[in-house]
């Protein structure tokens, strides 16, 4: 499954770049055909609705680049702030970086929206490639993601129910709830606790 996903992503990236740069109509038809084949490969091996795949896979233009996801890592009394998603599972507050937001602005926005937390970003814990650190065989996101975990100073927190999260709470490393593993792994959560313990001399991890 993972090889088919990787091949489809590579074909999509090649076709998207070709569609953006070429002005030759014959070449554009060939690149569009490659993109359609990539969609069919994903549909065949995931059984997802083909229109859903096209919505995720074929709406961008320009040279293909990874998507950015920011996570606000906040502690209170050595406990980590997590938000509960509609699935019932928990994750570090965060999400896609909006087109009009810097990384710092976005992490503050996501912390407030998902956990009712006002935060001040202080340093980057890690920049992780989603495919290398998180993606499971049954996950079918057809693009590359770079996840940025940012250590934040918690100013105050007052959660209010919203359309994205059910509740927010603080957890010790020994008493974690069921995690949304597509958003953050147990290893990444442990890395955040390690950064909290060593915040004065932390070195950003990236790969």
């Amino acid at each position: 499954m993972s090889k088919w996903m990787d091949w489809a992503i590579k074909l999509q990236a090649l076709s998207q770049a070709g569609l953006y740069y070429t002005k030759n109509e014959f070449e554009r038809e060939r690149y569009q055909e490659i993109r359609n084949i990539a969609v069919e490969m994903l549909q065949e091996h995931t059984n997802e609705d083909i229109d859903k795949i096209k919505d995720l896979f074929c709406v961008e233009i320009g040279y293909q680049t990874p998507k950015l996801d920011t996570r606000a890592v906040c502690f209170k009394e050595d406990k980590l702030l997590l938000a509960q998603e509609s699935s019932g599972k928990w994750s570090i507050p965060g999400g896609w970086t909006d087109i009009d937001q810097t990384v710092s602005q976005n992490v503050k926005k996501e912390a407030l929206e998902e956990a009712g937390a006002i935060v001040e970003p202080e340093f980057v814990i890690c920049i992780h490639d989603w495919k290398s650190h998180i993606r499971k065989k049954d996950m079918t996101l057809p693009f590359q993601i770079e996840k940025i975990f940012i250590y934040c100073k918690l100013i105050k927190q007052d959660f209010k129910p919203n359309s994205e999260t059910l509740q927010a709470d603080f957890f010790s490393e020994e008493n974690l709830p069921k995690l949304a593993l597509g958003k953050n792994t147990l290893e990444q959560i442990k890395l955040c606790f390690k950064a909290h313990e060593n915040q004065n001399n932390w070195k950003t991890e990236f790969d």
Side-chain angles (χ1 to χ4, degrees):
M1 177 77 77
S2 61
K3 284 187 176 181
W4 283 101
M5 173 72 76
D6 291 340
W7 293 335
I9 289 173
K10 288 178 182 178
L11 286 173
Q12 151 62 12
L14 289 170
S15 63
Q16 183 170 310
L19 286 168
Y20 182 72
Y21 286 113
T22 188
K23 304 301 179 184
N24 183 287
E25 190 59 35
F26 176 80
E27 291 179 354
R28 290 185 61 81
E29 289 178 1
R30 300 288 76 77
Y31 283 123
Q32 185 60 56
E33 186 175 353
I34 292 172
R35 181 178 250 187
N36 292 339
I37 291 171
V39 169
E40 291 174 6
M41 287 172 64
L42 276 180
Q43 198 277 330
E44 178 70 22
H45 288 275
T46 64
N47 293 319
E48 289 282 359
D49 180 76
I50 196 164
D51 290 330
K52 180 181 178 181
I53 294 174
K54 287 181 178 179
D55 286 342
L56 286 171
F57 209 33
C58 299
V59 295
E60 296 187 19
I61 61 173
Y63 190 79
Q64 182 78 54
T65 58
K67 293 181 177 292
L68 295 181
D69 175 282
T70 62
R71 297 283 147 180
V73 179
C74 311
F75 284 85
K76 183 174 73 172
E77 299 175 352
D78 296 328
K79 292 184 178 181
L80 177 64
L81 178 63
L82 298 176
Q84 187 181 37
E85 303 179 354
S86 57
S87 65
K89 299 177 182 179
W90 296 73
S91 66
I92 296 171
W96 298 128
T97 302
D98 289 338
I99 192 67
D100 61 345
Q101 301 282 303
T102 66
V103 168
S104 178
Q105 290 170 338
N106 200 74
V107 80
K108 288 192 284 187
K109 177 181 73 69
E110 292 290 340
L112 182 61
E113 290 178 352
E114 293 196 352
I118 297 175
V119 304
E120 187 60 42
E122 294 193 337
F123 62 88
V124 176
I125 296 173
C126 63
I127 304 173
H128 277 175
D129 171 62
W130 182 78
K131 181 173 67 175
S132 300
H133 289 270
I134 292 182
R135 193 181 81 185
K136 299 189 298 182
K137 291 183 179 180
D138 59 342
M139 291 183 176
T140 57
L141 290 179
F143 40 72
Q144 192 77 351
I145 303 168
E146 298 299 322
K147 299 182 72 70
I148 308 174
F149 291 77
I150 301 175
Y151 189 91
C152 299
K153 178 181 179 181
L154 180 64
I155 308 301
K156 66 177 182 178
Q157 190 253 347
D158 181 22
F159 178 81
K160 292 180 174 58
N162 59 82
S163 61
E164 295 187 64
T165 51
L166 303 176
Q167 58 180 319
D169 205 347
F170 293 85
F171 297 88
S172 67
E173 189 173 0
E174 296 75 26
N175 190 35
L176 294 170
K178 190 169 184 179
L179 299 174
L181 295 177
K183 305 290 180 65
N184 40 218
T185 64
L186 178 60
E187 290 74 19
Q188 288 170 326
I189 295 290
K190 289 181 177 296
L191 186 67
C192 292
F193 276 96
K194 187 176 179 181
H196 177 61
E197 295 172 359
N198 300 276
Q199 53 190 286
N200 293 328
N201 57 358
W202 184 257
K203 290 186 178 180
T204 302
E205 178 181 293
F206 53 91
D207 59 3

